[in-house]
Amino acid sequence: AQSVSQHNHHVILSEAASLELGCNYSYGGTVNLFWYVQYPGQHLQLLLKYFSGDPLVKGIKGFEAEFIKSKFSFNLRKPSVQWSDTAEYFCAVNANNQGGKLIFGQGTELSVKP
Amino acid sequence: EAGVAQSPRYKIIEKRQSVAFWCNPISGHATLYWYQQILGQGPKLLIQFQNNGVVDDSQLPKDRFSAERLKGVDSTLKIQPAKLEDSAVYLCASSLDLGEPYGYTFGSGTRLTVV
């Protein structure tokens, strides 16, 4: 069965620090990959997505992610975090043969100290 | 563009009671999803509709959960009877069509507490 694993449950950083959140998935076929963010009290919002092409994907608010097929990974990065990036981040996978179904990781809570 | 509307935002019930959640997707979105998000976990798909037909309900506990999408627009998710482990946020999402997961829009969710 497909699964998504996020390495860190809770990450604490100071403002201006660099961020990298790990995400690995288990599925041998073609996948679409997503990162979602959930700010406190708000709904899930799409940060970025990868379907095909350039494995380095740029999203909103300065986030980017790199798809490494050989490692089944899709790590999220940001060179300099801000206090407003405090939120929960979810990696998700959609397999091409499963319609629109998303498999989510367990989430990583990011706390940025001012 | 209006978002996905869900109600109520919060609900507290006692175990063995029943509860229903409502979702109004974005106008024109053919595909509707219900996800369950237990505290500390990522959302898990419960059921997926394409118009008013069920595409995937393999993860829906059918002995107590039911869902419908009459007329292919609004949807309701019901739990009867509720158990303590049903405490979670229930998220509704919609997308233009089945093959367009990148078009997902999530609602704000209904937070259910079963006591």
Side-chain angles (χ1 to χ4, degrees):
Chain A
Q2 295 172 43
S3 66
V4 178
S5 176
Q6 292 183 238
H7 310 307
N8 309 100
H9 191 62
H10 192 188
V11 173
I12 302 173
L13 295 173
S14 297
E15 275 194 316
S18 64
L19 169 72
E20 180 160 2
L21 302 182
C23 172
N24 285 89
Y25 65 93
S26 64
Y27 183 70
T30 303
V31 294
N32 303 309
L33 299 160
F34 306 81
W35 275 97
Y36 281 87
V37 61
Q38 190 167 31
Y39 297 103
Q42 296 188 26
H43 59 271
L44 281 165
Q45 299 173 43
L46 182 66
L47 265 182
L48 48 79
K49 59 186 182 284
Y50 171 81
F51 289 155
S52 63
D54 189 344
L56 185 61
V57 179
K58 294 196 183 298
I60 61 172
K61 305 188 180 187
F63 286 90
E64 65 178 31
E66 184 176 12
F67 171 49
I68 303 179
K69 189 174 181 180
S70 61
K71 294 185 178 181
F72 298 89
S73 71
F74 190 55
N75 291 354
L76 181 71
R77 300 195 291 248
K78 186 171 183 179
S80 176
V81 295
Q82 300 172 320
W83 176 78
S84 57
D85 292 325
T86 295
E88 188 146 22
Y89 293 81
F90 293 93
C91 180
V93 170
N94 162 256
N96 267 0
N97 64 351
Q98 294 201 1
K101 177 180 180 178
L102 291 176
I103 307 292
F104 284 85
Q106 70 269 37
T108 297
E109 184 181 348
L110 172 65
S111 299
V112 180
K113 298 184 294 184
Chain B
E1 176 182 76
V4 175
Q6 289 190 247
S7 67
R9 285 297 306 272
Y10 305 94
K11 190 75 177 178
I12 301 174
I13 62 171
E14 295 182 349
K15 59 184 179 184
R16 291 188 290 274
Q17 284 187 323
S18 62
V19 65
F21 313 127
W22 173 81
C23 172
N24 179 233
I26 289 176
S27 177
H29 278 196
T31 312
L32 185 146
Y33 312 81
W34 282 102
Y35 283 81
Q36 179 193 56
Q37 186 176 11
I38 293 172
L39 187 65
Q41 300 180 21
K44 182 186 80 172
L45 181 71
L46 290 175
I47 188 166
Q48 178 181 350
F49 292 94
Q50 179 71 359
N51 296 311
N52 61 350
V54 175
V55 174
D56 183 351
D57 63 357
S58 57
Q59 299 296 303
L60 188 73
K62 297 180 189 63
D63 58 333
R64 297 182 301 106
F65 286 65
S66 64
E68 60 183 11
R69 192 183 183 197
L70 300 175
K71 302 180 182 178
V73 182
D74 293 4
S75 176
T76 55
L77 176 69
K78 296 178 182 176
I79 308 175
Q80 182 179 10
K83 292 185 175 182
L84 295 177
E85 59 261 36
D86 298 331
S87 293
V89 176
Y90 291 85
L91 297 167
C92 180
S94 68
S95 64
L96 268 174
D97 206 345
L98 198 59
E100 295 191 359
Y102 46 85
Y104 258 67
T105 301
F106 281 90
S108 298
T110 295
R111 182 177 297 277
L112 173 68
T113 303
V114 182
V115 298

